């Protein structure tokens, strides 16, 4: 399957600082990228969807000014957690998919990065 | 709103057993359903993707079935091995290019 690389895998930051997480599709062009958050022993919750060259679409309850998403190219999306607080500590996972056939998203698999464990102290 | 449920939440079996993981979803209007594996502290590995027009997919010891009308999918693992121990997640794509994930089944295969 296709490879999605997420960096860093772990990060510890001080409260009030910002952290940037990168998500790269290594061997395909990702027309759409997704950012998820996962709490311990819970499932993935979609935070936002981004299409290359356009603004991200955030899910209800997700603060767009706090979680800045940039999808500047077909192989790179970044999530910046601004003014991080301890409650932002979580496991963040990105996903990418290429162009589908017919309706966007149909018939294409979603490939996931390795995840980033963020700890805010 | 699509909701995805997985049963059981946790499962422990001895090595060699065949087992079935269940996934149900409330809205049958889906594009596809995917099964993933997640190891502790890691990302997701895609196992099988079933399009809405398909009834099953097979990969090695894994077989996934889909009954869209009843809102159910099963993942069958044959001859389980300790290396199969992980959390298994199912996810459905129903609209807007988004995946809705189930709560997962934590599988432990005892040597």
């Amino acid at each position: 399957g296709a490879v999605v690389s997420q960096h860093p895998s772990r990060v510890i930051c001080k409260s009030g600082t910002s952290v940037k997480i990168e998500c790269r599709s290594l061997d395909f062009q990702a027309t759409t990228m997704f950012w998820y958050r996962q709490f311990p022993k819970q499932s993935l919750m979609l935070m936002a969807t981004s299409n290359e060259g356009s603004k991200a679409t955030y899910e209800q309850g997700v603060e767009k000014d706090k979680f800045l998403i940039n999808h500047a190219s077909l192989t790179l999306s970044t999530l910046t957690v601004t003014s991080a607080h301890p409650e932002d500590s979580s496991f963040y996972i990105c996903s990418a998919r290429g162009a589908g056939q017919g309706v966007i998203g149909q018939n294409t698999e979603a490939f996931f990065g390795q995840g980033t464990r963020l700890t805010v102290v | 709103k699509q909701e995805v449920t997985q049963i059981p939440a946790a499962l422990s079996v001895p090595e060699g057993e065949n087992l079935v993981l269940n996934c149900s979803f409330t809205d049958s209007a889906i594009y596809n359903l995917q099964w993933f594996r997640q190891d502790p502290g890691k990302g997701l590995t895609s196992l099988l993707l079933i399009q809405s027009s398909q009834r099953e997919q097979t990969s090695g010891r894994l077989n996934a079935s889909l009954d869209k009308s009843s809102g159910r999918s099963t993942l069958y693992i044959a001859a389980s091995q300790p290396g199969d121990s992980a959390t298994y997640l199912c996810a459905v794509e129903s609209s807007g290019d988004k995946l809705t994930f189930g709560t997962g089944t934590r599988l432990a295969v005892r040597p």
Side-chain angles (χ1 to χ4, degrees), chain A residues 10 32 34 36 38 41-46 49 51 57 59 91 93 95 97 103-115 117, chain B residues 1 6 30-32 34 36 38 40-49 51-52 89-90 93 96-104 106:
Chain A
R10 291 178 179 272
T32 307
F34 307 87
Y36 296 85
Q38 186 178 34
K41 296 186 177 181
Q42 294 189 23
S43 193
L44 279 71
M45 299 298 296
L46 180 66
T49 303
N51 293 293
T57 301
E59 294 299 299
F91 192 59
I93 307 178
S95 168
R97 70 194 324 173
V103 175
I104 290 176
Q106 276 191 318
N107 304 319
T108 60
E109 288 185 52
F111 296 97
F112 284 75
Q114 308 95 316
R117 172 72 59 193
Chain B
K1 178 184 174 184
Q6 290 185 246
I30 65 170
Y31 294 136
N32 57 56
Q34 245 179 296
F36 296 89
Q38 184 177 30
K42 304 292 184 182
L44 276 65
T45 300
S46 178
L47 299 173
L48 290 164
L49 169 70
Q51 301 293 350
S52 61
L89 295 163
C90 73
E93 180 184 355
D97 204 24
K98 301 175 184 178
L99 291 177
T100 303
F101 281 84
T103 47
R106 293 189 305 280

Side-chain angles (χ1 to χ4, degrees), chain A residues 16-91:
Chain A
T17 63
S18 295
V19 173
K20 180 184 285 187
I21 303 170
E22 291 188 349
C23 180
R24 294 181 184 273
S25 57
L26 298 186
D27 50 4
F28 69 102
Q29 292 186 329
T31 51
T32 307
M33 287 189 171
F34 307 87
W35 287 94
Y36 296 85
R37 183 173 181 174
Q38 186 178 34
F39 292 102
K41 296 186 177 181
Q42 294 189 23
S43 193
L44 279 71
M45 299 298 296
L46 180 66
M47 299 174 65
T49 303
S50 71
N51 293 293
E52 185 265 337
S54 61
K55 290 184 177 180
T57 301
Y58 290 80
E59 294 299 299
Q60 191 172 11
V62 178
E63 300 176 58
K64 62 180 181 181
D65 293 330
K66 181 168 186 60
F67 299 99
L68 301 179
I69 292 172
N70 184 280
H71 192 164
S73 75
L74 285 171
T75 59
L76 174 64
S77 176
T78 60
L79 167 68
T80 301
V81 183
T82 63
S83 186
H85 290 283
E87 56 265 31
D88 298 326
S89 299
S90 189
F91 192 59

